[in-house]
Amino acid sequence: MRLPRVQGSCPVRRLQVWRALSYAALILLAVIYLAPVIWMALTSLKSPYEATAMPPTLLPARVTVESYEALARSGSQAPVLRWLLNSVLSAVAHALLVLATAAPAAYALARMEFRGKRLVLAAVLATLFVPPILFLPANYLIVRSLGWLDSLPALVVPPAASAFGVLFLRQFFLGFPRELEEAAALDGATRLQVLWKIVLPLSKPALATLAVLSVLSNWNDFLWPIYVLFNPEKLTLSPGLALLQAAHSTDYALVAAGAVVASVPILAVFIAAQRYVIEGVARTGLKG
Amino acid sequence: MSAVDVPLVEPGQAEVDGGAQSAPGVGQLRGRGPARSRWWAPYLFLTPYLALFGLFVLAPIALGVWISLHDWDPFLPSSPWVGLDNYADLFRSGSPSRGNFWRALRATALFTALSVPVLVTLPLLLALALDRSFPGRSLFRALFFAPYVLGVAVVALVWRLLLDPHVGVINHLLGKVGLPAGTGWTTAVPWVWVSLVGMTVWWTLGYNTVIYLAGLQNIHREIYDAARIDGATRWQLFRHVTLPGLRPVVMFVVMMTVLGSANMFGQAYLVTGGGPGSETRTVIMYIAEEGFRSFRLGAAAAMSYVHALLLALVNLGMVLLFFGRGGDEEAR
């Protein structure tokens, strides 16, 4: 097909070739980048023997789910389904607690004037830069004296004190147009009504973003849970995987299956809420 | 608005809230204060969060100091006061924690020095590639971000299997192309460092990329167009438009990445176990071991304060470095 009035040696075609090549390169790069994850999924479907065979196979010679069955077996050393349940409960409860406590606080810090506001803001902001290890010894003792060791509240409550949620929502509320709130106030609405009926419904994208980031951070937390959980039944997936690896360091298929179980739900959340995760990171550059 | 100034910025002028006294009426232009807002309303809104913040953020910071002044074994009834001994131990020759602590700090510094340059430059290149608009761009963005959502436990586990010196795929592939196939990726220096840095880059690369992409979107297209009309080459565009425009974002990425690397823990804990010897035992790993395996919580608390202080100094140094020079570029 001839394209009239195009100078040079058919730049349109050359552009297409160039574009196709760029795509091919990018796809290749992405496949190589994701290869470890793909390989993990394939390994989990091999027999324990095949998983460590040399030379390694790429595709399972015989697809088997025996590693998953071993993980699901009741009374197993690695109750992965139990860990999965604990992880889901912990992450959901944590996200709800973050929303419930951070939203009113953020609203007060964004829209109300009161004594000590600057102090509160400065204190909250400063803690963003404190390394997490600093809290570990004392928080361990605090959680222990609350009787929360080896239980869900230890995973749900202390991490919800993080500064992130409050600062994130406050930033959103600051950019929120005041007119609606003012109109409601003129109609005699209380602050709580304004927050509940006007601000929160219109902040759904921000709330969803914070919820997803909170789920993500709670699901993947590692340093804290390995020191406050002991009983295998009480673990979540992150510390559970560490235990699984320690106990079955040579059964690669089993360990890979554990990793798949830990990854699939959070990858599903990520795929479903991808826009929120990436926007949240892009907007703040901070994790929850 | 760049990623950097987000948490700090107030939009426009901060108005003073009318507060409790303002009963809105006809012609009241500044009647922004809701009718039934009381002086204690903001405190009520803050209470749930501040209770958490006080108990699990502020109290631990203070209690940590108290713990660090004791010989605190969490399983003994009494914890004798030792004053500054736990701190002095870190400097006294012959004390066991001194050598271990500084060795762990050195390992942490080495990891930071190795990982930060890669994690600052590689994501920038990737972001530049993904910044041009093409169909499927957000899919690629998500693909490169995906490993980050897996968390350190999964990432470390996958790489441990891949890097296994005997039955790992990496060594097998290297052998296939005629390279040494017996490298101790998880057991021998310097390869353990290559492994730890490599897997960390793989894990968190997409994170920094997303921040850069947000930064790139904030550089106005008109500046590029103007520069192009002036005959700027691609390199000149990058050098004189993109880089200066990204300056605050690069600064932010460097600081966050240094912070993250200095707190590295899971990768070393799960992949190398701190080995060989204590070569890859990072400072967080050592502090946690002292506190929770040797039950020397006081010593652990003291070390965590020294670590935090050193980190704050490094941060301060970086702030001075970034803000201290290049003021002329800021004017652009």
Side-chain angles (χ1 to χ4, degrees):
Chain A
M1 198 194 296
R2 241 163 229 268
L3 295 164
R5 287 204 198 116
V6 178
Q7 298 144 323
S9 58
C10 200
V12 171
R13 170 106 42 94
R14 214 164 67 193
L15 198 68
Q16 278 170 350
V17 170
W18 175 243
R19 186 166 287 171
L21 280 177
S22 313
Y23 264 120
L26 206 52
I27 290 169
L28 186 69
L29 196 65
V31 169
I32 293 172
Y33 195 72
L34 293 182
V37 176
I38 299 164
W39 179 83
M40 168 183 76
L42 291 172
T43 299
S44 74
L45 295 170
K46 295 172 186 171
S47 69
Y49 171 75
E50 191 190 350
T52 51
M54 265 300 173
T57 53
L58 176 62
L59 296 172
R62 183 176 60 85
V63 174
T64 168
V65 291
E66 60 184 281
S67 297
Y68 291 94
E69 282 168 2
L71 288 178
R73 207 166 292 142
S74 59
S76 89
Q77 263 191 312
V80 173
L81 293 181
R82 182 76 220 202
W83 298 345
L84 182 65
L85 180 71
N86 292 344
S87 278
V88 171
L89 288 177
S90 163
V92 171
H94 169 76
L96 291 176
L97 185 62
V98 168
L99 292 183
T101 56
Y107 184 69
L109 290 170
R111 281 289 199 264
M112 297 156 105
E113 288 304 324
F114 55 91
R115 264 174 180 280
K117 178 170 152 176
R118 287 176 159 275
L119 183 71
V120 171
L121 261 178
V124 170
L125 193 63
T127 58
L128 274 181
F129 302 97
V130 179
I133 189 77
L134 198 73
F135 304 108
L136 193 66
N139 257 338
Y140 170 84
L141 293 176
I142 292 172
V143 161
R144 190 175 72 157
S145 60
L146 289 169
W148 288 356
L149 281 186
D150 223 7
S151 77
L152 212 56
L155 300 181
V156 172
V157 184
S162 118
F164 175 76
V166 167
L167 296 174
F168 178 83
L169 285 184
R170 172 176 178 263
Q171 201 55 37
F172 186 83
F173 294 155
L174 283 175
F176 199 81
R178 285 175 183 268
E179 287 75 19
L180 276 171
E181 295 163 69
E182 287 167 12
L186 285 171
D187 287 343
T190 63
R191 280 291 192 185
L192 195 61
Q193 285 168 330
V194 170
L195 175 65
W196 186 252
K197 292 198 174 141
I198 313 256
V199 175
L200 290 185
L202 289 169
S203 307
K204 275 182 191 155
L207 298 174
T209 305
L210 179 58
V212 172
L213 292 178
S214 300
V215 163
L216 206 66
S217 84
N218 192 264
W219 185 276
N220 287 328
D221 197 6
F222 184 69
L223 179 62
W224 174 245
I226 62 172
Y227 292 111
V228 292
L229 304 177
F230 320 102
N231 185 339
E233 286 281 312
K234 302 286 186 183
L235 300 185
T236 51
L237 284 161
S238 286
L241 285 183
L243 184 74
L244 187 65
Q245 184 197 283
H248 302 271
S249 57
T250 51
D251 192 344
Y252 280 15
L254 187 81
V255 173
V260 170
V261 173
S263 312
V264 167
I266 203 67
L267 278 175
V269 169
F270 173 61
I271 290 165
Q274 191 232 101
R275 194 164 58 93
Y276 295 119
V277 179
I278 290 187
E279 264 174 29
V281 170
R283 213 181 308 151
T284 65
L286 296 168
K287 53 185 165 179
Chain B
M1 191 184 289
S2 76
V4 182
D5 49 18
V6 163
L8 292 162
V9 177
E10 300 252 5
Q13 66 296 345
E15 297 157 87
V16 177
D17 197 323
Q21 83 286 7
S22 64
V26 183
Q28 186 173 3
L29 294 171
R30 291 187 63 259
R32 296 190 313 93
R36 276 172 277 159
S37 179
R38 300 281 180 264
W39 67 266
W40 40 260
Y43 301 105
L44 195 68
F45 279 24
L46 276 168
T47 300
Y49 174 72
L50 284 188
L52 289 179
F53 186 73
L55 188 55
F56 298 111
V57 175
L58 294 185
I61 291 177
L63 181 57
V65 176
W66 182 248
I67 296 171
S68 75
L69 301 174
H70 293 77
D71 186 2
W72 201 303
D73 182 327
F75 296 103
L76 291 182
S78 79
S79 304
W81 171 270
V82 295
L84 293 173
D85 269 10
N86 284 324
Y87 294 91
D89 272 352
L90 301 178
F91 303 94
R92 188 184 302 140
S93 64
S95 87
S97 41
R98 178 186 172 220
N100 287 332
F101 179 71
W102 296 104
R103 206 172 307 125
L105 263 181
R106 205 175 55 203
T108 306
L110 180 62
F111 176 78
T112 308
L114 290 172
S115 64
V116 171
V118 189
L119 279 170
V120 169
T121 52
L122 208 58
L124 179 58
L125 296 179
L126 188 60
L128 288 171
L130 293 177
D131 185 46
R132 338 182 81 193
S133 85
F134 57 90
R137 179 176 72 155
S138 47
L139 175 68
F140 283 108
R141 214 186 266 206
L143 282 180
F144 284 106
F145 190 83
Y148 183 77
V149 310
L150 293 181
V152 72
V154 170
V155 167
L157 212 127
V158 170
W159 282 97
R160 196 187 148 106
L161 304 192
L162 285 167
L163 291 166
D164 187 294
H166 305 296
V167 294
V169 174
I170 304 264
N171 267 345
H172 173 72
L173 291 177
L174 288 177
K176 273 225 159 159
V177 295
L179 290 165
T183 307
W185 294 107
T186 56
T187 51
V189 181
W191 309 113
V192 278
W193 288 117
V194 177
S195 304
L196 291 174
V197 170
M199 80 181 65
T200 306
V201 169
W202 179 81
W203 179 34
T204 61
L205 166 104
Y207 190 83
N208 285 354
T209 305
V210 166
I211 299 177
Y212 279 132
L213 279 166
L216 286 170
Q217 312 247 290
N218 285 326
I219 303 175
H220 293 295
R221 296 291 129 182
E222 301 88 72
I223 307 180
Y224 282 104
D225 294 340
R228 251 187 232 109
I229 290 167
D230 290 345
T233 63
R234 275 192 161 192
W235 169 249
Q236 284 171 327
L237 283 178
F238 176 73
R239 175 71 192 77
H240 297 293
V241 181
T242 309
L243 271 188
L246 275 185
R247 229 174 77 92
V249 181
V250 172
M251 179 190 89
F252 177 77
V253 168
V254 169
M255 292 183 69
M256 292 315 288
T257 310
V258 166
L259 217 66
S261 295
N263 288 305
M264 194 270 261
F265 168 71
Q267 299 97 304
Y269 181 86
L270 288 166
V271 174
T272 62
S278 57
E279 193 69 36
T280 59
R281 183 164 68 183
T282 64
V283 70
I284 303 297
M285 205 170 149
Y286 179 60
I287 293 173
E289 269 176 27
E290 280 293 283
F292 296 96
R293 209 166 293 161
S294 314
F295 303 119
R296 297 181 62 223
L297 220 50
M303 284 185 253
S304 68
Y305 277 83
V306 173
H307 171 62
L309 193 70
L310 288 172
L311 210 55
L313 288 177
V314 170
N315 260 324
L316 189 69
M318 281 194 297
V319 169
L320 291 177
L321 191 74
F322 280 121
F323 289 109
R325 72 185 162 103
D328 49 340
E329 266 187 328
E330 210 77 75
R332 143 192 319 272

